[in-house]
Structure formats: structure tokens, C-alpha cells
Amino acid sequence: MDIRKFLPAGRQVKDNLARRIMFGLCLFVLSLAFFMVFGLYQRAKPILAMRPLKDLLFSGAWHPTQGQFGLASFITGTLWVTTIAMGIAVPLGILTAIYLSEYAHRRTREFAKPLIDLLAGISPVVYGVWGVIAIVPLTGFSALTGGIVLAVMAFPIIISIVAEVIRTVPFEIREASSALGATKWQTIKFVVLKKAWPGIIAAVILGLSRAFGETMAVLMVAGCSLGVFPKSVFDPAYPLPALIANTYGEMMSIPLYDAAVLLAAFVLLLVTIFFNMVGWSILLRIERREAGG
Amino acid sequence: MGSKTHISVKNLSIWYGRHQALNNISIDIPDKKITAIIGPSGCGKTTLLKSFNRLIDLQDGVSVGGRVLVDGEDIYAPEIEVTRLRKKMGLLFQRPQVLPMSIYDNVAYGPRIHGIKDKKKLDGIVERYLKESSLWTEVKSRLHSSASKLSIGQQQRLCLARGLAIEPEAILGDEPTSALDPVSAERIEQRLLDIKNQYTIVLVTHILRQARRLADYIVFLYLGNLIEHGPAEKIFNDPQDTRTQAYINGRFS
Ligand SMILES: Nc1ncnc2c1ncn2[C@@H]1O[C@H](COP(=O)(O)OP(=O)(O)OP(=O)(O)O)[C@@H](O)[C@H]1O
Ligand SMILES: [Mg+2]
């Protein structure tokens, strides 16, 4: 039944109008994403026409004045810091969320929640400064330091989403599991986390995209020196976002420089989209299995 | 009644915060019989039932006074292992609460928790208890699909199988048929009657006819107090208290 049939004419027009406007806005937002991919590709095209993609992505030689634009060291730098950040933030974040939502006293929880939300809102520059002061003395300007700082930044997102998701798991299911003689930890591990799994993945994806795209804090602590290939986590790393922020707009007189940096942005965008797609497809699969399909 | 006591409740009082839900209850639940707990809504039936396997502990701010003895053992004593106690009782809820996993895993959940790992053994357990709760023929071809896909009636039978699979001594049912259609309800009732020689069954019910059909023994609660208890024929045919009379004549619910 279409309730619009019963609306008076004036309201029906407004209803239609509202629907059209919202549809238009939705289309606009979606097309923005498309135009971003397309636009970046267009601007990166000159370099793709001149150099084989393989060299651009897998060569570590970045000598713009000599016309060499290998992005490998930046890509590796990004992978290092992101992997380290996630390696730290995901397990710790999930465990913290479990502790807060399942074990902690109500008062602890009420105290911790605004604090965590506060952490999420702090400007990246502040994290950067903190990293320089507190972490750099221990681990130097390196990929590891970048990862640690990013982990701390991804923490609040992961904790608050996971805690939120865990809280939505119905009490009755925990009761059912406990009634079968499961311990609290068994109930959490086999029932609560299972039920909360899709949400946890969403939390990890969001944490990941924050870590991946984060520029300022990494720029300040990860070293970001040109000409060093980050062979280990203790080497300085120069992740893609930092490269783009540092160099775009400078030295535009060097041929192809502009296209190379935009290629970096394009790669960054593609990888982000890829991560999200992998995440969401896992989510969908779980949902479908949940539904028994 | 000449039957041995399985669960013995002595001067039990339970508070939720400052609200007293049960007031000084003392009853003996007979072994291998069906005991029905009846009474109007909010009188404390669920609370009493959940005190038997200490599921009541999961609620915030509960305090318990008095004792509950299961097989002569005080279950609120500090040295009691709650998980072992709960393993002795299969619990059916008002709405079936299937776990977020496959049909097979739902039934195997309890046995796995309690240490059974052998695949063959688990297969046997799953088949046996799905049969015992008369669900086997309906699900044997899709044991590994999600349990939430089953109908509500099937889910409740799955919950019965799951409860039986931990090999409990008692089955506790909190209005286990109230969310079900008449046919499914009838099937659950039938299963309970079939297995009553092997288990002590305690059933909370709102439906007096169900209590009449199933129960050997009746416990009538009213506003947190135990008003009357005794063999079913006696309570139904010759209730002593006026409130019991009023309730079983349907004058309030
Ligand atoms: N978690 C809780 N916190 C506070 N009060 C509660 C809680 N659970 C139950 N109560 C209160 O305790 C009393 C007994 O509740 P209980 O659920 O045992 O009643 P019941 O006889 O099972 O009712 P019904 O037939 O409606 O299921 C009620 O007054 C109820 O409001
Ligand atoms: Mg109840």
C-alpha cells in the first residue's frame, strides 16, 4: 500500500520534491567519489603514459630531477606504519572494549567513555607532538614510531565502536550460554564476539582508514627522509600521504613531478577503496552466513 | 508424596536492589517429577526458577538470602562451581534463544564447553538429542546452516536439544511454550512428558490447563510469597487458600 495516495495534494507535491532532492544529493555524493577517482586518474595519466606502471610502483628510485619516480619506498612506508598501527591497535582495542563493556564496573565505564571520546577528537598535530616528545626518544624517527602514534590514534575509534557493538548483543543470548555452564570468557569468546563480529570488522576498517590516510602525525614522527628505503621498522618511513602533503605544489616546474604526486594520491585512493571493499565483502559474507544462505 | 527431593529451597528471599521479589520461600522440588510454578505476572516465578541454577547472579544488584540445596548441596556456598551447577540444569526460556551459530554447533555447544572434542562423539550427541527433542528429521539435511533460520517452534525444540545435550539432571522451563503456535507447544509438552522419568522438570507457566495436563506438583506464588504447594490433584481440586482458589478459578491472572 502506498500511503502517498492518502496525502492531500500539497503534501504529496512536497513529499515528491523532498524525495527528488534527497535522491539528487545522494547522486551528487556518489558522483563526487567517482569524479575523484576519475580526476586523479586523468592528472596522473601523463606519467603512466611515459613510464611503465611496474617501475612506478615497484622501483624505489625517487629522483624527480632525473625523471625517476619510483613510489615503492613510499608505498612500503605506508604499509609498515599501517601494519604496525593495526597490529597494536586491533588486539589492544578489542580487548579494552571487551574489558570495558563486560568486566568493568559501571563507574569505571562511565568514567572511561568520555575520556575515549575525547581522545578521538584530539587534533593529529597534538598526537604528532606527543609522538616526538614521548616516543621518538625511544624508537627514533622511524616507521615503528609512526605506527605506534597511529595505533594510539586508531585506538579510540576501535574501542568505542567495538564496545558499542558488544553492548547491542542481547542479554538473553549471554544468559542462554551461561545457562549451559559456559564461563564468562567462553560466553564472550564463542557467543558475544561471534554476534559482534561484523561490527568489529567495521571498527577495524574505520581504524585502518584513519591510520592509512593520516598525514600530519606521521609526517612529524616517521622520519620522512627521501632516499631511504624502509627495510625494517626501525628505518625512517615516508608514507604516501606525507609525501603528497609535503611536496604537492612545490617544484611543479620539474616535468612529470605533478603527475607523479597525483599518481601517489591515486594509489592511496585505490588502496583505501580496496581495503574498504575487502572489509565490506567480509562483512557481507558473514551477514549472509548468519542468515543461513 | 513419597518421592525424593531434588531441589530444596529453604527460606529463600531475593531482592533486586531494594525491591524484594521473593519473600522467605521454602519448598522441596521432587526428583523426576514435573513441578509447575504458577501465579500472576510479576509474582516472582522467573526469579525463583533462575535461582535454581544461579542464573539470577547475572542480574545487576541482586541479593539472595536463605539457601537452595541441589542434591543436598548448598548452591550459594562460596566453594560451589557455578558452571558445574548450571551444567546440571537445562534451561528453556520464554522465547527460544538460539546461539549465533549453526544448528549442529548449538547442540554441540554445551558438550564442547565441557570438554568433549571428539568429532564422532559430538556427531552422536547431536543426533541423539535432536532426535530426543523430535527435531532430527526436519534438520538432518541442514545441520550446518544457521539456527536462526528455523521457525520459532523448531528453535525452541533446538533449545531443548541443546539443554539435554549437557546431560542435565533437571530441566527448567520458563513458560517455554508461550511464544509458540499450538502445534509446536503441543510437541514441546509431549517431549516433556516423554522424558519426565529421566529428569526433574520445573515449569513456569501462565497456562493453567498446561499445568493441569503436565504437572505432578504445583507451587503457587503470589506477590513474592509462597501461598500454597502440593500435589497437582490436591491444588486443583481442593485448594486451601482463598487466593489459590481465586487464581485457579481464573478470577485474576
Ligand atoms: N532485573 C530486575 N531488576 C529489577 N526488578 C526485577 C528484575 N527482574 C524482575 N524484577 C521484578 O521482580 C518481580 C518478580 O519478577 P519475575 O520476573 O520473577 O516475575 P514473574 O512471575 O516471572 O512474572 P511474569 O509472569 O510476568 O514472567 C517483579 O516485580 C519484577 O518487576
Ligand atoms: Mg517470568
Side-chain angles (χ1 to χ4, degrees):
Chain A
M1 186 172 61
D2 187 355
I3 62 159
R4 276 172 299 155
K5 261 204 308 250
F6 301 107
L7 295 175
R11 284 172 63 191
Q12 203 180 94
V13 171
K14 270 192 207 155
D15 186 47
N16 261 328
L17 197 67
R19 210 160 50 98
R20 295 242 168 86
I21 290 174
M22 283 188 278
F23 179 71
L25 285 175
C26 180
L27 214 64
F28 175 69
V29 171
L30 285 179
S31 61
L32 268 185
F34 174 78
F35 280 118
M36 245 156 88
V37 174
F38 186 72
L40 280 179
Y41 176 71
Q42 280 299 326
R43 301 287 302 273
K45 230 161 103 184
I47 198 164
L48 289 170
M50 311 275 292
R51 307 267 184 283
L53 187 63
K54 205 182 91 213
D55 282 3
L56 289 169
L57 294 184
F58 298 110
S59 149
W62 176 266
H63 303 294
T65 43
Q66 294 157 34
Q68 286 181 314
F69 296 101
L71 288 171
S73 66
F74 307 105
I75 293 174
T76 313
T78 295
L79 291 181
W80 272 134
V81 293
T82 315
T83 311
I84 294 164
M86 287 294 109
I88 299 170
V90 169
L92 286 187
I94 292 176
L95 289 175
T96 309
I98 291 173
Y99 173 75
L100 282 179
S101 50
E102 298 284 320
Y103 291 95
H105 255 272
R106 222 182 59 217
R107 242 183 284 132
T108 319
R109 195 160 50 220
E110 278 162 7
F111 175 74
K113 185 158 179 7
L115 219 65
I116 288 166
D117 290 344
L118 187 76
L119 282 179
I122 294 176
S123 158
V125 175
V126 177
Y127 281 102
V129 171
W130 170 76
V132 172
I133 295 169
I135 311 295
V136 168
L138 304 173
T139 50
F141 289 99
S142 63
L144 182 59
T145 312
I148 292 171
V149 171
L150 282 185
V152 175
M153 295 178 71
F155 240 152
I157 303 178
I158 295 178
I159 293 174
S160 55
I161 298 178
V162 172
E164 197 59 36
V165 169
I166 285 178
R167 272 222 345 247
T168 63
V169 176
F171 177 70
E172 288 76 11
I173 293 191
R174 301 156 198 257
E175 246 186 341
S177 167
S178 304
L180 292 166
T183 60
K184 184 156 190 167
W185 176 237
Q186 286 170 327
T187 300
I188 292 170
K189 200 165 48 160
F190 299 129
V191 177
V192 175
L193 290 186
K194 185 129 195 227
K195 195 89 178 164
W197 197 229
I200 291 174
I201 289 183
V204 171
I205 290 174
L206 290 177
L208 188 73
S209 44
R210 167 143 208 200
F212 201 75
E214 175 49 42
T215 310
M216 199 49 181
V218 185
L219 203 120
M220 293 170 74
V221 300
C224 297
S225 51
L226 285 169
V228 184
F229 189 90
K231 285 195 211 57
S232 87
V233 297
F234 302 106
D235 289 339
Y238 203 158
L240 286 174
L243 170 76
I244 298 163
N246 258 354
T247 56
Y248 189 69
E250 293 171 12
M251 304 192 273
M252 284 309 166
S253 51
I254 299 172
L256 288 181
Y257 199 112
D258 161 75
V261 174
L262 286 167
L263 177 68
F266 182 62
V267 170
L268 190 68
L269 186 63
L270 280 192
V271 173
T272 312
I273 291 175
F274 172 74
F275 266 126
N276 274 279
M277 266 168 33
V278 169
W280 287 110
S281 74
I282 294 171
L283 257 177
L284 271 178
R285 271 222 343 244
I286 289 165
E287 225 163 67
R288 240 181 266 138
R289 195 186 56 201
E290 225 8 59
Chain B
M1 359 213 307
S3 167
K4 115 177 191 282
T5 296
H6 189 177
I7 302 170
S8 179
V9 180
K10 295 195 190 302
N11 307 106
L12 182 72
S13 296
I14 292 181
W15 292 264
Y16 292 108
R18 306 185 58 190
H19 172 79
Q20 184 164 16
L22 289 179
N23 178 25
N24 202 23
I25 308 279
S26 298
I27 29 164
D28 289 341
I29 307 282
D31 195 32
K32 310 246 180 337
K33 292 270 189 289
I34 298 184
T35 300
I37 302 174
I38 60 171
S41 186
C43 68
K45 304 182 294 295
T46 300
T47 306
L48 181 60
L49 195 73
K50 285 187 181 169
S51 74
F52 294 165
N53 65 352
R54 289 187 55 177
L55 208 58
I56 199 82
D57 294 11
L58 299 185
Q59 306 281 344
D60 279 338
V62 171
S63 42
V64 178
R67 293 191 301 162
V68 177
L69 309 180
V70 174
D71 302 322
E73 218 180 356
D74 181 359
I75 62 167
Y76 286 91
E79 69 274 11
I80 282 292
E81 237 183 274
V82 183
T83 51
R84 230 192 68 232
L85 165 73
R86 291 187 182 142
K87 186 184 175 303
K88 289 186 181 178
M89 316 209 181
L91 184 63
L92 286 177
F93 296 88
Q94 190 162 356
R95 303 191 159 277
Q97 300 293 342
V98 298
L99 301 173
M101 46 187 85
S102 70
I103 296 169
Y104 182 100
D105 290 338
N106 259 273
V107 183
Y109 184 79
R112 279 182 179 145
I113 288 287
H114 297 289
I116 299 180
K117 293 209 176 69
D118 185 62
K119 177 89 174 64
K120 278 231 173 64
K121 216 162 163 187
L122 285 172
D123 287 348
I125 290 172
V126 169
E127 178 170 349
R128 168 163 173 217
Y129 291 106
L130 282 174
K131 278 179 176 157
E132 206 152 301
S133 50
S134 61
L135 190 59
W136 177 251
T137 48
E138 288 155 69
V139 300
K140 65 179 177 207
S141 60
R142 48 171 169 150
L143 287 175
H144 294 283
S145 64
S146 166
S148 56
K149 276 278 152 164
L150 297 173
S151 76
I152 298 295
Q154 289 172 325
Q155 286 185 17
Q156 192 64 303
R157 274 179 282 148
L158 179 64
C159 289
L160 180 61
R162 183 180 73 189
L164 294 176
I166 57 173
E167 303 188 328
E169 298 162 6
I171 307 283
L172 311 176
D174 190 357
E175 304 184 41
T177 63
S178 65
L180 309 185
D181 61 281
V183 176
S184 301
E186 153 79 31
R187 293 178 88 156
I188 292 278
E189 281 190 16
Q190 195 52 51
R191 292 327 293 165
L192 292 176
L193 282 174
D194 293 343
I195 61 178
K196 80 169 199 178
N197 296 327
Q198 305 158 54
Y199 304 93
T200 300
I201 297 174
V202 186
L203 210 59
V204 167
T205 179
H206 252 122
I207 313 163
L208 282 172
R209 269 170 296 135
Q210 185 175 56
R212 271 181 212 268
R213 282 194 296 269
L214 301 180
D216 303 301
Y217 203 77
I218 301 283
V219 174
F220 176 59
L221 295 182
Y222 184 66
L223 296 177
N225 292 296
L226 173 64
I227 305 299
E228 203 167 343
H229 63 109
E233 319 92 79
K234 173 130 190 313
I235 299 282
F236 281 119
N237 300 325
D238 183 23
Q240 301 300 306
D241 194 280
T242 51
R243 287 163 293 186
T244 322
Q245 290 164 5
Y247 185 73
I248 65 175
N249 291 322
R251 259 178 281 142
F252 61 91
S253 60

